[in-house]
Structures are given as C-alpha cells and as structure tokens.
C-alpha cells in the first residue's frame, strides 16, 4: 500500500476518527485506526463496540491496500506534522509516514483480527447539517449526566412522517425540539434513544456538509443502531435501551401567568445575582406587573437583588429556580425575548422564545423547568 | 435526668415505683435503653443486650419505650433550662449544657467575685432541681463547673438526685483519682494503651506530660487528653448544633434472607426517613444505605443527587438502586436509610411530582381497586390486636391503664394513673372491644408559666438530665 495525502485533510480526518477510539480498548486491535486506500479515496475507521466512525478523504493512491496502526499515536503525529503532503508506505509489518524532512516508522496491528464495522442502517432521510446541530444542542443540554439512570442520559429521536422530535430530560428540566426533514418514505415512523454526548459530538462534526442523513434501522440489518452521514463522515451509534417516560402530558397547557422578558438583560441579571448563589442554591424570581425581581443568597451569607422590566399577563407569581438550569434554557431558546409561563409556584414552568415582545411564542422549542421549593 | 426513661415509667405507673424497671427493645435482639436504679443493682446497664438483662434481673418490669411521653417531659425540662439562660445545648432528650454566664443571669453574675458567683450558681442549680421535680415529678442531677467537660463529669458524679459543684481551682483534685475512662474520647482501646504505659488515673495522665502523651497516642488525641486531664476545656456552649444528616434504621428479629423482603424494608425505611426529613423542614442531596450482615460486617453505600430532595419517591428509588450493589444472600441483620448533605430548599422532580399527582387523581376518582401488596411485603399482621408491654390503654369501665403483658389470646392490664395509687390488674380478652389504645397521661398537672420561651405542651410532664456548665 502506498498513498499521498494533504496534511490538513489527513489531520482533520484522523482527529475526528480518533475520537471514537476506546479509552481502554477491550481488545488491543480496537486501539487501532483502520486505513484503507482504494479508488482515489483514503478511508479511516475506528470502532469501540458502541460507536463506529468512518471518514473518507481524497488521496493520491499508488498501491491500494489496508493497514491498521495505533490510532492515538497516529493522531499525535498528524497533529504535529509540518504542512506538507504526507506519504504512507507499507514495508512488511511496518508502515512509514513521511512528511517534509520528518519520517516515522510505525508498527502495524493485524488487520484480519479487526472486527467488521456495523453496517449502516438503511438511510431514511436528510436534514440540513446546521439545523440538525442546532436542534441537538438545544435538547442535549437537558439530558442527564448521571450513569445511574442510563435512560435519562439519552436524547429521544422520534420520527413521524416529515417531522422529527428530539427530547431529553434529567428529571429537573425537559427540552423538546421539533424540526422538518426529508424522509425517503413519507409514512415513516420510528423512535430511538441515542446517548446525548455522542449525538452532540456527531451533530457538531457533521455540520461541514450541506445535509446530514439519518439512518434508523427498523428490524433486520443494523438493529439497535442509528447512523449519521455527512461531509464524507459516517458514524453509527448503539442505541440506549428503554424509552423516556411519556412526556406530552407533563407539559402544562393552561397557565395562570405568562411573563415576557427581554432575554439579554434577563440572562445578565441572572448571572449577576447568581454570583451569591453558592453551590447552585436557588435564585428567587418575583413577577409583578411590569417588573421582575431577582434575588439570591440568605441573611447568613451574601445577598443580591436586581430588577428587570417584564410584562406580566395574569396573577403575580413568586418562584425559585436552580440558576444553572434557568441559564441553560435562556441560552438555548436563542430568541431576543423569553416567555415564562406558570401554573403555580411549585409546578413546572414553561420557557419559550419570542422573536419580538409582541410576537407569538416559538413553539418548535420548549424548555420545561422544575422550580425549587424553599423551606418555610 | 436520672435514669430518664425508667424514671418516667415509674412516675407514670405507680405500681412500679421502687421496683426494677428496664426500658428498651423487647425483641430477641433488643438492647436496654435505660435501667432504673433498682435494676442497676443487679448489674443491668444501658446498651446491654436485653437477653442478658433478663438473665441478670428476671423479675424486672420490661417495657417498650414511649418516646412521645419522653419527648413531652423533655420539652418541659428544656423550657425550664431556657428560663436560666438563652444558651442551652441539648445533648439528648435528657441532658443539656446551660451557660449561666450568658443572658440575664450572666448580667447578674457579672462583677461578682468568684466566691459570690459560685454561691449564686449553686443557688440557681438547687432552684432548678426543685423546679424540675415540681414540674415533672422526676429527679435531676446537676454538675456545676467552669467548663463543659467538668460539668458533665460532675453531673455523672452527682447522680442520682444530686448536685456537684467543682469550684475553680479544685478541678485537678476532683479529676485526679478518677479513671482515665471518665474522659471523653477514652474508650477501651485508648485505656488499654495507657494502662500498658502504667497510666490508669487522670492524675497520672496529667503528670505524664503532653509530649509523652503525644508520643503514645498521636498528636491530636494526646494533646486533647492532656488538656482534659489538667481540667482545661474551653469549648463554648452552642445553642444550636447543625444537623448533618437524618437517618433511620431497623434491626430485624431474624436475619432477612429473602431479597424481595429486603427491598420492601429498604423502601419502608426510606419512607420513614423522608417523613423525619420533612418534619425537620429539611431536604438533602446524599442518600445513604446501611446494611449489616448476619456476621455483623457493616457497609454503607451512598449516592449524591444533583439537587436536594425531600421526595419519598426519589429517596426510595435511590436507596433501591444502592441496594442493587449489595449482596445480601447471607442474611441481613440491620438496614438503615439516611439522607445527608442537608439543605433548606428542594429541587422539584418532574416525574416524582407527576406520579404523585396521578396517584392523587386516581384516588380522588375513587379508583377503589386496592393496590396489590408490594412484592416482599411481610405477611399481614395477624388479625388479632397486638398489645405491647408498657403501652397506654383505656377502658370505659376501669379507666386508663397500661399493658403488663399479653399472650394466649389474653392481655393483662394494670389500671392506674400517674397521680394515683397502684391500681388493680385485670386480664381481658385480646379482642375485648372496650379496651382501646390511649395517649399517655401527663405526669403532673404542671403548666409552663405564660410567656415562657418554647412553652411545652401543657398536658404532659417529663424528666431530663441537666448538666449545667
């Protein structure tokens, strides 16, 4: 095998594929990155039994072939190489990497022991990469990080015809985002629970291309997997078992009070007041006509108060939130105005974005947040 | 308070006065909480296995504790202590430190010479003992000294029904001849260590010198022991100690081997723990599970949540998850569930709140299908009623009384009241519908004076141990 490839192209591809290398390989060959040269394309693959990644880049192929080398080492080397074309050549059980005046000789791992990568599920539709990445980040923020409840570490992807709904919760907040996509068959219907961290990484990595295709398997080949492809990169991820609790009934539909606040000043005020809220002690919010008062801290400690303008439709209401949870939601609504809807002080509050103070709320993204109840 | 639980029982049950009374767990694995002085003569002491106590003193009255009543009496005593000074540090239901140098009494003492202070404090202590006796009908012992350590040791020396004053300058004479075990932090291991170095009394500890003690016992322990032995203790009386955790535990009469039963008991303990947590108006982040195996090996497992909770569902779920990491096949002797990392706010949980509402709605809708018993639930109590020794009962014809014992379908009740004379004993059928459980009767008719701080419930009297510093 012998080929030549641009250094930047190679470094990008290796860095991305190396992210899927297992930290502690269950078998030595899994620490390897599989390099395959054929048809003027170099493909690199990594697999840790959960996630598989494959990326193809253009290369000048002299001799076709396949080789398995230590992924970590190759990633370190590629990061450090000077900006010149890189030439790979096999020599028995070794492979040489030459770039400018530097030359590396690496041991190879036995290709025949490398497991077959999971088959990509049959593709089921496409969505613009930017839309997908934005939607995933809006929802993944609410996913749990605690492995004791694996179901809550996932993002639920529900596909119903041309609508995709992403949902995640850590039981303190619940984020839901809907967007349209182009399914291959109009009456498609599927549900999958994908590890949130992997999904977030994947969505970010695939923004380079115009569209991302999502491939969800029904039964048969690739069962229990979801595949993503875009910008020459394709990755599969094993799904989490189980499903999120049914959530549509959790979202209240009737409200006693609806407040609208300009997002920028609101976020700034929360950040300032939360400086005295140590260890995520709550921040207290009181809405009265025209004014929102934010408070944090206790008389034993530092205290902070700030007022911001707010329009309130309905009863005055006082409640409290974990400041981090509130800030997460305000950041992700990505709108100039924030709308908070309440039933009572101890029930979940619903956060939506509004494009303008007097515009309708954006329904495509909903962030439900549980309040903090104060003693006494 | 002197032999508090037993003394309350004797005060509330005239027939037991002057007789040995032992209060504690009466099951096969019960432990003595308190033994009356009559029982102590036979060698019974608190923390002893109940089976051992029964062998030493077979004729004593063995009673289950009645914490409601003890708490009521304790409230009365604590109220009296608060009248002396705002700085009262309760150690338990029946023991507290009072700082007489604080508040009004402190102002009265200020500027006096140490002889006058001692005389005034002695008067205060005697008056206190008299007031406790009047309010509760029970005796209390007081140790009066310049530090908490000496006040506590003094109060032990004063028991029963006494007052010991350790005047400034006499501390070392008082401590000197006593055993090293008298000091805080000296248990069997340290005592043995010191004994090998030829040290058995506090005077010997004091003579040994700090450097030698530090070599023997390590820096912290050696230095603090030397300070105590020379009568130095400058810890202040702290009115409110921060509670760090709230927990409950149960020892089982026979080891639990059925996994489903273990799960059920953990869920029950979690419920109880949350009830205590809520009563205290707190919430917590860390759930702790404690398991003692058949061979007494004990382990704890804990999980810290992202936010504090006081939700029974969340605590139950977390405790159940912790249990999954513990092997219990050999049999479980004790289980405990606790909550630590306490806070005064609660992050609401979406699913727990929703589950609660759904359950409430279903109940309101009269969805009367009784829930199937949870898996692992112990067999339902036998249909016959259970009467526990010591329990308060009342009978429309014979009046109030207490259960002496029950068995073979019969229950023996002594009908008497705290303020009366020893009453008569009657044996009734367990099923007798006229016999009903009752609330404990107050020991005296004492009511706190109006306007006194933290007035206890007027209907009850109690006893407590008072160590005044």
């Amino acid at each position: 095998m012998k080929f030549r490839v641009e250094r930047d192209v190679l470094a990008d591809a290796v860095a991305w594929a190396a992210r899927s290398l297992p930290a502690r390989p269950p078998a030595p060959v899994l620490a390897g990155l599989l390099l395959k040269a054929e048809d003027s394309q170099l493909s690199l693959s990594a697999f840790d039994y959960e996630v598989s990644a494959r990326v193809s880049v253009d290369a000048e192929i002299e001799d076709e072939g396949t080789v398995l080398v230590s992924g970590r080492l190759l990633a370190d080397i590629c990061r450090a190489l000077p900006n010149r074309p890189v030439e790979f050549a096999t020599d028995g059980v070794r492979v040489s990497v030459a770039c400018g005046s530097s030359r590396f000789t690496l041991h190879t791992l036995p290709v025949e022991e490398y497991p077959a990568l999971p088959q990509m599920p049959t593709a089921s539709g496409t969505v613009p990469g930017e839309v997908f990445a934005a939607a995933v980040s809006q929802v993944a923020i609410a996913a749990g990080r605690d492995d004791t409840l694996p179901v809550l570490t996932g993002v639920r992807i529900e596909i119903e015809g041309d609508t995709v709904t992403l949902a995640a919760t850590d039981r303190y907040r619940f984020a839901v985002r809907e967007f349209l996509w182009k399914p291959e068959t109009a009456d498609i219907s599927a549900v999958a629970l994908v590890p949130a961290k992997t999904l977030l990484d994947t969505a970010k990595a695939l923004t380079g291309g115009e569209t991302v295709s999502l491939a969800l398997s029904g039964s048969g080949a690739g069962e229990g997997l979801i595949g993503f492809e875009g910008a020459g990169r394709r990755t599969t991820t094993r799904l989490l078992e189980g499903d999120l609790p049914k959530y549509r009934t959790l979202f209240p539909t009737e409200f006693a009070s609806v407040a609208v606040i300009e997002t920028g000043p609101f976020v700034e005020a929360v950040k300032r007041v939360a400086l005295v809220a140590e260890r995520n002690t709550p921040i207290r919010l009181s809405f009265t006509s025209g004014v929102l008062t934010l408070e944090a801290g206790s008389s034993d400690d530092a205290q902070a108060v700030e007022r911001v303008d707010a329009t309130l439709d309905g009863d005055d209401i006082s409640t409290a939130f974990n400041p981090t949870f509130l800030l997460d939601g305000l950041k992700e609504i990505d709108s100039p105005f924030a709308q908070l809807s309440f039933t009572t002080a101890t029930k979940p509050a619903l956060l939506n974005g509004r494009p303008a103070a007097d515009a309708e709320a954006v329904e495509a993204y909903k962030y439900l947040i549980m309040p903090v109840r104060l003693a006494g | 308070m002197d032999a508090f639980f037993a003394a309350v029982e004797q005060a509330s049950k005239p027939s037991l006065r002057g007789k040995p009374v032992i209060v504690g767990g009466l099951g096969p694995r019960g432990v003595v909480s308190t033994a009356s002085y009559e029982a102590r003569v036979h060698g019974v002491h608190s923390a002893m296995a109940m089976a051992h106590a029964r062998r030493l003193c077979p004729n004593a009255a063995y009673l289950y504790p009645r914490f409601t009543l003890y708490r009521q009496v304790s409230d009365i005593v604590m109220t009296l202590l608060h009248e002396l000074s705002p700085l009262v540090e309760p150690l338990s239901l029946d023991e507290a430190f009072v700082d007489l140098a604080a508040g009004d009494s402190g102002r009265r003492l200020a500027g006096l010479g140490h002889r006058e202070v001692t005389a005034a404090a002695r008067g205060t202590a005697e008056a206190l003992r008299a007031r406790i006796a009047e309010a509760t009908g029970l005796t209390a012992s007081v140790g009066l000294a310049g530090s908490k350590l000496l006040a506590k040791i003094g109060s032990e020396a004063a028991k029963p029904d006494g007052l010991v004053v350790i005047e400034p300058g006499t501390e070392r004479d008082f401590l000197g001849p006593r055993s090293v075990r008298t000091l805080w932090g000296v248990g069997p291991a340290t005592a043995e260590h010191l004994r090998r170095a030829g040290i058995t009394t506090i005077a010997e500890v004091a003579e040994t010198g700090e450097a030698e003690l530090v070599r023997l016992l390590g820096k912290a322990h050696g230095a603090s022991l030397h300070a105590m032995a020379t009568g130095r203790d400058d810890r202040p009386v702290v009115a409110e100690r921060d509670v760090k955790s709230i927990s409950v535990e149960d020892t089982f009469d026979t080891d639990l081997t059925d996994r489903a039963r273990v799960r059920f008991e953990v869920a029950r303990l979690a419920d109880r723990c949350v009830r205590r947590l809520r009563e205290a108006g707190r919430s917590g982040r860390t759930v702790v599970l404690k398991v003692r195996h058949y061979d007494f090996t004990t382990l704890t497992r804990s999980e810290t949540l992202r936010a504090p909770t006081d939700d029974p569902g969340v605590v139950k779920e977390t405790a159940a998850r912790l249990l999954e990491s513990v092997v219990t096949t050999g049999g479980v002797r004790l289980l405990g569930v606790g909550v630590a990392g306490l806070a005064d706010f609660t992050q609401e949980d979406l699913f727990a709140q929703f589950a609660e509402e759904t359950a409430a709605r279903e109940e309101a809708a009269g969805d009367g299908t009784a829930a199937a018993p949870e898996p692992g639930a112990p067999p339902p109590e036998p249909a016959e009623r259970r009467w526990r020794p010591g329990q308060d009962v009342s009978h429309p014809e014979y009046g109030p009384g207490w259960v002496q014992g029950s068995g073979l379908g019969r229950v023996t009740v002594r009908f008497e009241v705290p303020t009366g004379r020893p009453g008569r004993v009657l044996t009734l059928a367990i099923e007798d519908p006229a016999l009903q459980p009752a609330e404990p009767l107050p020991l005296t008719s004492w009511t706190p004076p109006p306007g006194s701080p933290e007035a206890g419930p007027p209907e009850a009297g109690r006893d407590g141990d008072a160590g005044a510093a």
Side-chain angles (χ1 to χ4, degrees):
Chain A
M1 183 184 82
K2 195 169 180 187
F3 64 86
R4 181 193 288 255
V5 58
E6 287 303 317
R7 182 261 176 196
D8 285 353
V9 172
L10 177 73
D12 264 5
V14 170
W16 180 71
R19 296 191 62 157
S20 299
L21 291 171
R24 275 177 297 277
V29 286
L30 290 179
L33 212 53
L34 190 72
L35 275 58
K36 191 176 202 173
E38 78 190 349
D39 299 340
S40 348
Q41 290 274 305
L42 166 68
S43 74
L44 298 104
S45 315
F47 184 41
D48 69 356
Y49 286 129
E50 293 289 325
V51 177
S52 80
R54 215 189 95 183
V55 51
S56 299
V57 295
D58 293 334
E60 272 175 50
I61 312 285
E62 209 161 300
D63 284 327
E64 295 193 341
T66 305
V67 68
L68 187 64
V69 294
S70 161
R72 291 263 164 262
L73 187 55
L74 187 62
D76 288 346
I77 291 172
C78 290
R79 216 177 14 246
L81 287 177
N83 197 5
R84 300 276 182 76
V86 188
E87 196 172 272
F88 281 69
T90 47
D91 171 19
V93 293
R94 288 157 190 265
V95 57
S96 72
V97 181
C99 176
S101 58
S102 52
R103 172 178 293 269
F104 294 86
T105 309
L106 308 177
H107 275 283
T108 60
L109 298 162
V111 174
E112 60 280 6
E113 283 175 28
Y114 198 74
L117 256 55
Q119 222 182 325
M120 193 80 170
T122 44
S124 33
T126 59
V127 56
E130 297 293 341
V131 171
F132 184 59
V136 168
S137 98
Q138 280 183 310
V139 170
I141 191 88
R145 267 148 241 169
D146 185 353
D147 284 330
T148 50
L149 283 172
V151 168
L152 296 190
T153 62
V155 169
R156 183 182 195 266
I157 302 182
E158 183 183 338
I159 294 171
E160 207 52 68
D162 62 355
T163 308
V164 179
T165 310
L166 305 184
T169 180
D170 60 3
R171 76 194 309 156
Y172 305 126
R173 54 258 174 87
F174 207 127
V176 178
R177 169 70 203 262
E178 279 183 12
F179 59 87
L180 295 177
W181 77 324
K182 286 200 197 92
E184 279 186 358
T185 46
D187 60 345
I188 184 169
S189 169
V191 172
L193 194 63
V194 188
K197 214 176 147 297
T198 315
L199 184 64
L200 198 58
D201 286 349
T202 303
K204 272 187 201 147
L206 302 188
T207 45
E210 221 158 78
T211 61
V212 174
S213 56
L214 265 63
L216 249 170
S217 53
S219 53
E223 191 175 3
L225 287 178
I226 186 166
F228 304 92
E229 187 167 4
R233 296 169 176 187
R234 61 159 67 165
T235 169
T236 63
T237 299
R238 193 191 289 275
L239 300 179
L240 289 170
E241 293 197 15
D243 194 1
L244 290 189
K246 289 207 181 357
Y247 62 86
R248 301 207 200 267
T249 46
L250 294 177
F251 281 75
T253 48
E254 286 168 28
F255 303 99
S257 326
V258 176
V260 178
I261 317 101
E262 201 181 336
T263 312
F266 189 17
V267 168
E268 293 302 314
V270 172
K271 280 185 182 163
R272 268 191 295 272
V273 171
L275 290 175
V276 301
E278 278 181 62
R279 295 194 307 129
N280 274 332
T281 50
I283 176 166
R284 306 184 289 283
L285 272 58
S286 308
F287 293 90
T288 52
S289 175
V291 181
L292 160 62
T293 310
L294 301 99
E295 286 173 278
S298 68
S299 51
D300 302 344
D301 271 315
Q303 284 172 289
V305 178
E306 182 157 346
R307 277 174 237 286
V308 295
D309 292 341
T311 59
L312 178 68
D313 183 10
D315 306 337
D316 289 1
I317 186 155
S318 293
T319 185
F321 295 113
N322 175 323
T324 308
F325 294 170
L326 183 59
L327 285 172
D328 283 348
L330 289 173
K331 186 173 91 177
E332 296 300 346
I333 54 171
D334 194 25
S335 300
F337 287 85
Q339 170 182 307
L340 267 169
S341 313
F342 302 94
T343 47
T344 69
T346 55
K347 295 282 174 58
L350 184 61
L351 176 63
N352 294 89
R354 278 201 194 192
D358 49 2
E360 285 287 303
V362 178
E363 289 295 331
Y365 180 60
K366 293 186 281 193
Y367 184 87
L368 194 68
I369 172 170
M370 289 303 284
V372 170
R373 182 161 38 82
L374 303 167
Chain B
M1 304 300 296
D2 304 327
F4 183 48
F5 295 175
V8 173
E9 295 302 341
Q10 288 176 322
S12 93
K13 300 175 167 108
S15 57
L16 297 181
R17 291 176 195 158
K19 308 235 167 66
V21 172
I22 294 167
V23 180
L26 301 187
R29 288 173 173 177
V31 168
V32 176
S33 296
T34 313
S36 72
Y37 285 93
E38 296 84 357
R40 292 184 194 187
V41 171
H42 298 275
V44 180
H45 56 80
S46 53
M48 174 182 273
M50 193 56 82
H52 189 186
R54 283 189 196 271
R55 282 198 297 279
L56 291 175
C57 191
N59 297 321
Y62 287 89
L63 304 173
Y64 275 104
R66 294 183 295 159
F67 284 105
T68 343
L69 182 57
Y70 306 153
R71 211 163 286 130
Q72 289 167 4
V73 180
S74 175
D75 287 344
I76 292 181
V77 175
M78 296 299 170
T79 305
L80 295 176
L81 298 184
H82 275 284
E83 287 173 10
L84 299 181
S85 161
L87 265 188
V88 176
E89 177 179 338
L91 282 183
S92 60
L93 277 181
D94 70 342
E95 234 179 328
F97 291 112
V98 180
D99 186 348
L100 292 179
D104 289 345
S105 70
R107 272 188 286 284
R108 276 197 300 280
L109 297 175
L112 297 180
H114 94 252
R115 256 169 229 293
E116 288 86 1
V117 169
T118 306
R122 184 190 288 271
T124 307
E126 281 301 359
L128 170 68
R129 297 196 333 108
R131 296 212 57 195
I132 290 176
E134 181 204 348
T136 66
L138 303 171
T139 62
S141 298
V142 176
L144 191 57
S147 70
K148 279 163 75 169
L149 171 75
L150 283 153
K152 164 100 178 162
I153 297 174
S155 77
E156 298 294 336
K159 281 171 189 282
D161 196 16
L163 166 66
V164 164
V165 182
I166 304 164
E167 293 195 29
T170 65
E171 288 91 350
R172 288 184 67 166
D173 299 339
F174 177 81
L175 288 174
R178 289 168 197 275
S179 151
V180 288
R181 291 288 301 271
T182 317
L183 297 175
W184 288 337
V186 182
T190 308
E192 176 60 18
H193 216 81
L194 292 169
R195 193 190 61 77
R196 288 189 188 174
I199 303 167
T200 54
T201 67
I202 298 178
E204 285 159 359
V205 175
E207 282 159 21
T208 303
E210 189 169 342
E212 179 68 22
L213 286 170
V214 167
R215 259 197 301 285
L216 274 172
L217 302 171
K219 192 155 185 214
H221 201 173
S224 83
L225 199 61
H226 186 258
M228 283 194 285
T230 48
R232 281 179 288 135
D233 170 31
D234 49 11
R235 282 164 304 170
V237 174
V238 184
E240 276 201 10
R241 224 160 251 293
D242 259 359
V243 180
K244 296 236 166 56
S245 69
I246 288 177
S247 61
V248 297
E249 58 182 47
D250 260 350
T251 301
F252 303 101
D253 289 351
T254 52
D255 292 344
L256 305 185
T257 45
D258 177 10
R259 185 75 178 177
R261 174 76 193 281
V262 174
R263 276 194 208 106
F264 172 82
E265 292 294 342
V266 167
R268 219 172 41 91
L269 286 163
D271 267 338
R272 236 167 72 197
C273 181
V274 169
R275 222 174 301 137
R276 295 255 320 263
L277 190 67
R278 287 187 164 181
E279 277 165 13
R282 307 298 294 270
S283 60
R285 282 187 72 183
T286 304
V287 178
V288 184
L289 175 74
K290 176 173 167 186
V291 178
R292 179 165 296 153
H293 292 294
Y294 66 99
D295 60 355
F296 280 88
T297 53
T298 305
L299 52 85
T300 58
R301 294 280 179 270
S302 67
E303 184 181 324
T304 299
L305 306 166
R306 273 189 87 187
T309 183
D310 69 348
D311 192 295
V314 175
V315 175
K316 232 190 289 191
E317 204 180 283
T318 313
R321 206 156 49 228
L322 291 169
L323 179 63
E324 291 313 307
S325 67
V326 181
V327 179
T328 58
T329 40
V332 172
R333 182 183 174 90
L334 171 148
L335 287 170
V337 173
V339 174
L342 300 185
D344 51 8
F345 63 93
T346 305
Q347 171 67 56
E348 295 280 1
D349 180 307
L350 192 53
F351 303 129
Q353 190 182 81
F354 188 73
E356 222 166 82
E357 280 168 18
T358 313
R361 240 193 330 269
E362 273 169 14
E363 208 164 285
D367 194 2
T369 48
E374 284 183 59
E381 295 271 313
E384 73 180 30
R385 294 194 285 174
R386 282 185 57 182
W387 301 104
R388 290 151 64 100
Q391 185 181 350
D392 292 287
V393 294
S394 76
H395 192 283
E397 195 174 328
Y398 310 116
W402 56 278
V403 174
Q404 280 196 328
S406 69
L408 302 173
R410 300 184 173 279
V411 53
T412 309
V413 180
R414 189 182 281 271
F415 290 98
E416 59 184 5
V417 294
T419 46
R421 302 165 54 79
R424 59 172 168 162
V425 177
L426 289 172
T427 298
L428 306 166
I430 274 185
E431 301 300 341
D432 191 336
L435 191 66
Q436 289 296 331
E439 286 300 307
L441 295 168
L443 300 185
T444 65
S445 53
W446 187 84
T447 51
S452 70
E454 296 188 18
E459 78 277 11
R462 297 315 107 78
D463 79 353
D465 280 71

